[in-house]
C-alpha cells in the first residue's frame, strides 16, 4: 500500500468514526457535542436529517474560508461530504439504547469514536475539516486558537440550544474528555510527522 493510499484509507475510516460518534451520542439522549447540538436543533426545526444538517454547516463553514483565504485539501472535501451521510447511516442502523446503562455506554463509545476519528483524519495529513479550518483561519488573524475555538463552540452550542438541540451531561463530559483523548489519538495515528505539501497539521476541533 502506498503512503497516499494509506492516508486516504485512514481519512475515510476517520470520517466513518466521526459519523458513528455523532450517531451514538445523539441516540444516547444524554446531550450532544457542541456542533451536534446545532445540527440536532436545525434538524428539529427544518425536518431535515441530522446528517443533512452536518453537510449544510460544513458548506457554510467552507464559504467562510473564502475571506479568510484558507485553502481546502482532499481531507477537507472528504470531511464535508461524508460525515453527514455516515451519521445518518449509523442513526438508521443503531438500535435504540434501553435504560441508563446502555445510554451511558453509547455516550462513552461516542466520545471514543470521535477521538479515534479525530486521530485518523488529522493524522492522515490531508487537510483540516471545514470547522477546523474555520478555527485556524480566524486564529491566524491574530487571535489565540483557544479563544477562537471556545468562542465558536459557545456560539454554536447556544444557537443549537435555542433551536431545540439536546444539551445535557453528555455535552459537558464530551467537552472535558475529547481534548486529551483526541490528542492521544492524533499522536498514535499520525502517519508521518510531515504532512503532504500544502497541508498544515491542525489541532482537533470536535
Amino acid at each position: 500500500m502506498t503512503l497516499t493510499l494509506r492516508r486516504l484509507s485512514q481519512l475515510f475510516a476517520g470520517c466513518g468514526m466521526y459519523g458513528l460518534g455523532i450517531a451514538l451520542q445523539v441516540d444516547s439522549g444524554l446531550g450532544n457535542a457542541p456542533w451536534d447540538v446545532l445540527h440536532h436543533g436545525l434538524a428539529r426545526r427544518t425536518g431535515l436529517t441530522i446528517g443533512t444538517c452536518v453537510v449544510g454547516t460544513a458548506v457554510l463553514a467552507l464559504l467562510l474560508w473564502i475571506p479568510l483565504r484558507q485553502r481546502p485539501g482532499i481531507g477537507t472535501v472528504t470531511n464535508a461530504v461524508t460525515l453527514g451521510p455516515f451519521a445518518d447511516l449509523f442513526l438508521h442502523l443503531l438500535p435504540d439504547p434501553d435504560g441508563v446503562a446502555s445510554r451511558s455506554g453509547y455516550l462513552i463509545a461516542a466520545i471514543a469514536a470521535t477521538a479515534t476519528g479525530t486521530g485518523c483524519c488529522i493524522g492522515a495529513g490531508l487537510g483540516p475539516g471545514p470547522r477546523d479550518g474555520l478555527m485556524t483561519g480566524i486564529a491566524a488573524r491574530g487571535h489565540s486558537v483557544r479563544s477562537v475555538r471556545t468562542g465558536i463552540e459557545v456560539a454554536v452550542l447556544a444557537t443549537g440550544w435555542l433551536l431545540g438541540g439536546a444539551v445535557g451531561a453528555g455535552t459537558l463530559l464530551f467537552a472535558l474528555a475529547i481534548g486529551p483523548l483526541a490528542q492521544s489519538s492524533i499522536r498514535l495515528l499520525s502517519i508521518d510527522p510531515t504532512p503532504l505539501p500544502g497541508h498544515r497539521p491542525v489541532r482537533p476541533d470536535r
Side-chain angles (χ1 to χ4, degrees), residues 37-65:
V37 173
L38 176 60
H39 301 143
H40 189 206
L42 287 170
R44 293 186 67 177
R45 292 288 183 172
T46 63
L48 299 172
T49 67
I50 287 178
T52 301
C53 294
V54 170
V55 174
T57 60
V59 171
L60 178 60
L62 284 174
L63 291 175
L64 294 175
W65 280 34

Side-chain angles (χ1 to χ4, degrees), residues 14 16 45 60 79 93 105 149 161 182 186 196-197:
R45 292 288 183 172
L60 178 60
N79 181 296
L93 294 177
R149 176 175 177 174
W161 178 72
I186 293 167
L196 294 181

Side-chain angles (χ1 to χ4, degrees), residues 8 20 48 50 53 55 71 97 118-119 124 136-137 141 146 179 183 200 203:
L8 290 171
L20 176 61
L48 299 172
I50 287 178
C53 294
V55 174
R71 296 176 60 185
T118 300
T136 55
R141 296 300 179 96
R146 178 180 298 179
Q183 184 176 7
R200 296 176 299 171
R203 293 175 58 182

Side-chain angles (χ1 to χ4, degrees), residues 127-141:
R131 300 162 189 82
D132 286 308
L134 177 62
M135 175 189 67
T136 55
I138 295 174
R141 296 300 179 96

Side-chain angles (χ1 to χ4, degrees), residues 49-130:
T49 67
I50 287 178
T52 301
C53 294
V54 170
V55 174
T57 60
V59 171
L60 178 60
L62 284 174
L63 291 175
L64 294 175
W65 280 34
I66 297 173
L68 296 173
R69 297 183 180 180
Q70 291 283 89
R71 296 176 60 185
I74 297 171
T76 310
V77 177
T78 303
N79 181 296
V81 301
T82 65
L83 229 62
F86 272 129
D88 280 344
L89 174 64
F90 287 118
L91 282 167
H92 176 71
L93 294 177
L94 288 171
D96 292 332
D98 182 19
V100 175
S102 58
R103 291 169 65 193
S104 298
Y106 266 39
L107 175 61
I108 293 170
I111 296 172
T114 302
T116 303
T118 300
C120 285
C121 290
I122 293 180
L126 293 173

